[in-house]
Amino acid sequence: VTDYDVVIVGGRPAGSTLAARLGARGHRVLLVDRASFPSQPSVPSSPVIYPSAMKLLDELGIDEASYAGASFTTFSFQLGHYFDTVIPVPEMFGRAYVYGIDRHHFDEVLWRNVSRFGTVEQRQGFAVGDLLRDDEGRVTGVIGRERGGVDQRITARCVIGADGRFSLIARKAGARVVEEETECVSTVYFAEWEGVAPFREGVQGAHIHATGRGLDVLFFPMPGDRWSVNTHHRADRVVTEGDPMAYYMSVIASQPDVARRLSGARRISPLVGLKRVGNGYRESSGPGWALVGDAVHYKDPVDGQGIYDALVEARVLAGALDSWLTGKQGWAEAMRDYQQGMHAETHPMYLETMGRLRRELYEEPPPIIARTLIRWMMTDPAYQKRFLQFLGRELPAKGWLSKRLVGGAILRGIGRDLSGRSARMGAPEPAGPPALR
Ligand SMILES: Cc1cc2nc3c(=O)[nH]c(=O)nc-3n(C[C@H](O)[C@H](O)[C@H](O)COP(=O)(O)OP(=O)(O)OC[C@H]3O[C@@H](n4cnc5c(N)ncnc54)[C@H](O)[C@@H]3O)c2cc1C
């Protein structure tokens, strides 16, 4: 007899919601995390969640008021000197706003929610260091310890790695990387600020300052009038020379519209970041183990899908584990269903995100294209709505951008130009390159 049915290593979005779903079905679960709560995730994260993630939290009975962040209803998009536009957030799954959450608080809400389930035990400050295996090599538990304590051997029918993109469980289990994008990758840095000037008078939502030259700067509202200010730069052009803060401030200074917003502002958090952010998938399971959340699928943060993906993968895995634990399916069959379901939920979006990295950081549109095609599309209300519905997972990632939508946006853009209704065409082309290199 094992100590538990399932040991879950990692107690943030993936692990804590998987534990809740298994607890709701009465399974004996141990959820451990080496961190104590509340705390920031050790891999830093920006704060955006869409209604898609909120809907999955509704399913878990987690009250929105308990995690609500700074809600916002617009994304301002600016492409260099060429044009800018304010995109309203359409209603998605019954909500027409996006949150900038505080991960410190949000992750604690998810962790605490688990305590409602009598069959789930939680240990924080408990670091897993290795896996137990039987004679056939099947994973049968974990070895871990409390801070300052001695090694404990804990047995379970299976072990789940919900331990993030640098997953120890993946490494110990020997999970291979099965898909990876290594060429078009970004490096990100960010910090929280207060006293940030509005993008434009009366416009308060998120602001994406794209240069079309390998660099974006993103502003996200956070609770308490704070802002998360992120640099998202093609990795091969990031030169920090050992001083990331000097680099971050030089990027800000290089973009007049960004510098203006921060000229009277104060940085109130340390600078954090991630170099060459990896993108890919690992094998999702093997004998006695499975991976969920960033441990199985990790990607660039530009589309803000990580938390949603972690929650949806946990939902699929909970269903598969329940089938196996209740004897409806064998392990191999249940894990095949998990792999297929997880892939179907996440892969089309992953391909879109990889396409965006390539197009928006690694390709540089000629000025004429920025002033015409891209402007016509990005300022078209029908395109804007579908773009956000796609990011908010209300539209399937595959096929959201139809030829009809592109053609219509271009025709409407030309029409607006001809009738003189196009707003904010931007300043004339500057003499030098518009962005930092
Ligand atoms: C720069 C950046 C910005 C991002 N911005 C966004 C965003 O705006 N919106 C969004 O939705 N997503 C964003 N993401 C992605 C998001 O942060 C992740 O997808 C999400 O946190 C994944 O959740 P998880 O539960 O899988 O793993 P994590 O949140 O990484 O949690 C893993 C947990 O496992 C624990 N752990 C690790 N090893 C052990 C061990 N050996 N023993 C015990 N415990 C262990 C850790 O302490 C940690 O608590 C961003 C990511 C990055 C890198």
Side-chain angles (χ1 to χ4, degrees):
V1 179
T2 55
D3 298 329
Y4 299 93
D5 293 329
V6 184
V7 171
I8 303 171
V9 183
R12 294 190 192 266
S16 61
T17 62
L18 176 64
R21 288 183 186 275
L22 293 175
R25 290 158 159 132
H27 299 299
R28 293 179 307 136
V29 176
L30 174 65
L31 175 66
V32 302
D33 201 301
R34 69 179 169 207
S36 301
F37 294 90
S39 58
Q40 294 289 357
S42 52
V43 180
S45 174
S46 306
V48 178
I49 60 166
Y50 292 92
S52 46
M54 300 175 215
K55 181 174 156 264
L56 291 175
L57 298 175
D58 292 345
E59 269 179 30
L60 291 162
I62 298 177
D63 181 11
E64 183 176 344
S66 68
Y67 65 82
S71 77
F72 55 92
T73 55
T74 59
F75 280 81
S76 302
F77 177 81
Q78 181 177 29
L79 180 57
H81 311 266
Y82 304 120
F83 69 92
D84 61 55
T85 182
V86 178
I87 306 176
V89 175
E91 185 172 309
M92 296 179 278
F93 306 110
R95 293 171 166 107
Y97 50 87
V98 175
Y99 276 138
I101 50 164
D102 186 338
R103 281 295 296 270
H104 191 264
H105 174 68
F106 179 80
D107 290 6
E108 188 195 18
V109 168
L110 300 186
W111 175 265
R112 280 186 189 283
N113 171 60
V114 177
S115 64
R116 294 193 287 136
F117 303 98
T119 57
V120 185
E121 212 180 293
Q122 290 170 272
R123 292 197 207 166
Q124 43 185 321
F126 186 95
V128 169
D130 212 341
L131 295 174
L132 293 171
R133 292 181 187 269
D134 66 13
D135 293 345
E136 270 116 54
R138 184 182 174 90
V139 170
T140 54
V142 296
I143 302 176
R145 57 165 68 181
E146 250 111 39
R147 244 168 260 136
V150 295
D151 272 349
Q152 299 174 36
R153 300 164 74 85
I154 298 168
T155 60
R157 294 183 64 192
C158 71
V159 173
I160 308 301
D163 52 342
R165 66 165 57 224
F166 303 112
S167 171
L168 175 96
I169 301 303
R171 215 165 47 244
K172 294 285 180 185
R176 284 174 302 130
V177 171
V178 291
E179 183 168 356
E180 196 163 32
E181 165 63 59
T182 51
E183 260 173 48
C184 296
V185 295
S186 76
T187 287
V188 291
Y189 282 102
F190 52 93
E192 290 172 26
W193 294 69
E194 65 182 15
V196 176
F199 165 65
R200 216 190 281 161
E201 221 36 64
V203 177
Q204 272 304 341
H207 167 199
I208 294 151
H209 173 94
T211 62
R213 297 292 180 269
L215 168 71
D216 303 328
V217 182
L218 302 97
F219 290 70
F220 298 118
M222 292 190 63
D225 287 332
R226 290 173 293 151
W227 289 80
S228 170
V229 181
N230 305 235
T231 59
H232 182 242
H233 204 168
R234 56 183 278 183
D236 58 351
R237 290 193 183 157
V238 175
V239 183
T240 60
E241 290 173 337
D243 189 351
M245 181 58 80
Y247 157 80
Y248 178 73
M249 295 309 292
S250 78
V251 169
I252 287 170
S254 75
Q255 303 298 314
D257 286 331
V258 171
R260 175 192 60 76
R261 291 199 67 184
L262 295 177
S263 64
R266 200 164 67 90
R267 188 174 55 79
I268 53 168
S269 79
L271 182 70
V272 289
L274 201 56
K275 287 183 184 159
R276 299 194 60 83
V277 180
N279 301 285
Y281 285 84
R282 294 190 176 102
E283 273 176 309
S284 57
S285 69
W289 61 271
L291 304 174
V292 67
D294 275 16
V296 71
H297 169 43
Y298 43 93
K299 64 260 154 197
D300 194 274
V302 67
D303 284 334
Q305 301 295 319
I307 294 172
Y308 172 80
D309 281 348
L311 300 179
V312 82
E313 288 158 14
R315 178 170 74 177
V316 179
L317 181 55
L321 288 174
D322 183 61
S323 284
W324 170 65
L325 289 165
T326 54
K328 291 192 199 86
Q329 282 186 314
W331 174 259
E333 200 189 348
M335 289 303 111
R336 194 202 52 220
D337 284 0
Y338 169 50
Q339 164 61 26
Q340 284 174 356
M342 182 272 295
H343 197 263
E345 291 284 1
T346 60
H347 196 253
M349 188 75 205
Y350 171 70
L351 294 181
E352 288 289 324
T353 302
M354 293 308 99
R356 184 184 322 290
L357 271 184
R358 220 173 15 256
R359 280 192 311 278
E360 295 181 9
L361 283 190
Y362 281 76
E363 289 171 9
E364 305 194 352
I368 181 71
I369 299 296
R371 286 184 177 283
T372 55
L373 284 179
I374 299 178
R375 178 172 58 85
W376 291 331
M377 305 263 282
M378 289 304 295
T379 59
D380 181 63
Y383 175 89
Q384 291 179 341
K385 184 173 176 195
R386 281 186 73 88
F387 176 61
L388 281 186
Q389 286 174 325
F390 141 75
L391 280 187
R393 308 293 269 259
E394 206 177 55
L395 291 177
K398 192 171 174 188
W400 74 273
L401 184 57
S402 63
K403 284 191 181 131
R404 189 151 169 255
L405 180 64
V406 174
I410 291 171
L411 286 178
R412 287 186 290 272
I414 294 172
R416 283 195 302 277
D417 280 3
L418 290 176
S419 65
R421 280 184 289 124
S422 284
R424 301 183 68 86
M425 291 274 289
E429 191 71 22
L436 184 105
R437 296 247 168 194

